[in-house]
Structures are given as C-alpha cells and as structure tokens.
Amino acid sequence: MSRIENRAAFLKTLTEKLGEREFVPYKPISNLPETHLADKSTAELLAIAKARTEKVSAIMVETTQANLNQTIAELIEKCGGGPVLLPTDPQLAEYGVAIDETKQQVDYWQPDATLRQQNIQTAQAANVALAFAKFFLAESATVVVESSAGQGRSFHFLPTHYLSLIPLSRLVPRTSQAAAYFAQKAGELEAEENGSAYHFISGPSNSGDIEMQLVVGLHGPLEVYYVVITNR
C-alpha cells in the first residue's frame, strides 16, 4: 500500500512556486464512506447484494457448509466439467472442500515462483476455477480477493468459469471496509507477507466501449458464480 510522505513540505514548495495562497486540506462533504448501509442487518445486506448481483450479470447461489461440495459439483457440471483449477489454500481443508477427481481433472496453482508460466498455462486451460473471497461488498456485489503464492493474479481471470466461495461472515456493506482492512494489514506486516495485488471483481468480464454496447464475457471468465455459504 502506498503512503503519503512529506506532504506538508511538498505543498509548501508547490505553493511557493505557484505564488498562490496556502492549500486548504481536503474535507469530505459527507461521511457516507463510513456510514453507507451501516444500519442494515446481515439478511438485509444479503438481499441488497443479491439484487446487485443481477445488475453485474453474476449468479448467486446460497448453500450450507454441509451441502457445499454438492453445490460445487452441480455448478461444475453446469459449467461443462473440468479441468478444475484450485488454489493452494488451507481454507479448502477448513471448509471441507473436496472434488471427485475420478470425475473431474483437478489442477492446483503451485506456490513456486519458478512455475509461474506453468501456472498461467494451467489457468488458461481451466474451464472452472474456484477460490475463497476475502470480502463480499453488498453495495456493488463485488468479491475481493488477495493474490498470493497459492493463487496468483491469473488464477482469477483466465479460467472460463469462476466460482467465488463466500462465507456469509465476509459480507460487508462497503468498499471502504475492505480498503481499511488491507491498509491496516499493510501497516502491521512486512511487505512480503502481504498479497501482491488486491482484486475487486464485479461479475464476469464485460466491455461497454464498443459502440456503447455492453458485451458480457468478452474476456476473462464468461460466467461468475457467487456461492454464499450461509452457516459456519
């Protein structure tokens, strides 16, 4: 995360060069970044997220931890089967995620920097990828993921279909909450302990810059499923 350093000295020098009055510090016109949707219950936030999910052309599926593997299997079949790409992530075992490898080809993103090109090729060949979201933002139906050695940047964008596993406890109202978490994390940990990138993903890829026509699934995942795990 970037930090503002020597701000006062910089502004003083800029003011002197421009020959103008001292800059007035920015003051927000409202407290919406801290209060938007703050009064909503979890059930209300989920309803808001569900409505927004339709707007971003994603598909929300609710399930329980007991039925999670069945739900995943049904979605993989709906997407046309494997190859399936999984992250190297302890959360898979924590939530009991298991895919029948006698029915599907399953590959893992390898946490080895020397295998970077191999991982990218595996992601390109994958029909389905699934990974846990760090946050799910109700206001925009956006999943937030952190790149790591076990799931590089390409993991989330090259497979044809993407399943985002979202424990309900990770549903939050606003973007500002995710940003605040990562800012705090960056301040507390060494640089190498933080992810190389944070991705805010709102549904499948799309483009609206071709004659002002929205085209969904133009590049990256053609379909994105939000799999909300309602109990833990």
Side-chain angles (χ1 to χ4, degrees):
M1 300 287 288
S2 60
R3 294 181 174 83
I4 299 177
E5 298 180 357
N6 302 316
R7 180 178 185 275
F10 170 77
L11 292 178
K12 181 176 182 296
T13 300
L14 183 60
T15 300
E16 292 173 351
K17 294 292 185 180
L18 293 176
E20 298 179 0
R21 63 185 181 181
E22 182 179 356
F23 285 89
V24 177
Y26 168 75
K27 293 183 179 180
I29 60 174
S30 73
N31 62 352
L32 282 178
E34 289 75 40
T35 62
H36 182 50
L37 301 181
D39 61 335
K40 303 299 182 184
S41 67
T42 298
E44 290 173 322
L45 289 176
L46 185 59
I48 292 170
K50 186 178 297 185
R52 292 301 305 168
T53 294
E54 297 178 5
K55 298 291 186 182
V56 300
S57 302
I59 302 167
M60 182 184 291
V61 177
E62 295 180 44
T63 189
T64 62
Q65 186 171 352
N67 294 327
L68 179 57
N69 283 325
Q70 179 181 342
T71 300
I72 291 173
E74 290 172 353
L75 290 176
I76 291 174
E77 183 178 357
K78 183 178 180 180
C79 293
V84 177
L85 179 61
L86 299 178
T88 298
D89 184 349
Q91 293 180 100
L92 295 176
E94 180 184 346
Y95 281 82
V97 175
I99 295 176
D100 188 347
E101 297 191 27
T102 65
K103 296 181 178 180
Q104 308 291 347
Q105 176 184 334
V106 178
D107 300 304
Y108 287 84
W109 185 279
Q110 300 299 319
D112 185 337
T114 65
L115 299 178
R116 177 177 181 275
Q117 193 58 41
Q118 177 182 317
N119 282 328
I120 292 175
Q121 291 173 349
T122 301
Q124 287 177 323
N127 185 49
V128 181
L130 63 92
F132 280 90
K134 193 70 177 179
F135 294 102
F136 185 33
L137 313 180
E139 66 178 356
S140 57
T142 298
V143 291
V144 184
V145 294
E146 181 177 8
S147 291
S148 65
Q151 54 177 39
R153 303 181 190 191
S154 302
F155 181 100
H156 309 285
F157 303 110
L158 293 182
T160 306
H161 302 86
Y162 185 78
L163 310 184
S164 180
L165 307 183
I166 309 166
L168 188 58
S169 60
R170 301 182 190 182
L171 173 65
V172 298
R174 305 175 303 279
T175 304
S176 58
Q177 290 170 290
Y181 168 84
F182 289 124
Q184 180 178 350
K185 184 170 178 280
E188 294 175 348
L189 301 178
E190 297 296 329
E192 59 270 15
E193 296 180 83
N194 286 284
S196 60
Y198 307 125
H199 305 291
F200 290 68
I201 304 171
S202 302
S205 61
N206 62 71
S207 176
D209 57 2
I210 303 175
E211 297 184 353
M212 299 302 291
Q213 296 296 314
L214 179 64
V215 180
V216 178
L218 187 64
H219 48 77
L222 302 183
E223 287 186 318
V224 171
Y225 290 86
Y226 296 155
V227 183
V228 179
I229 307 167
T230 57
N231 71 329
R232 180 69 175 106

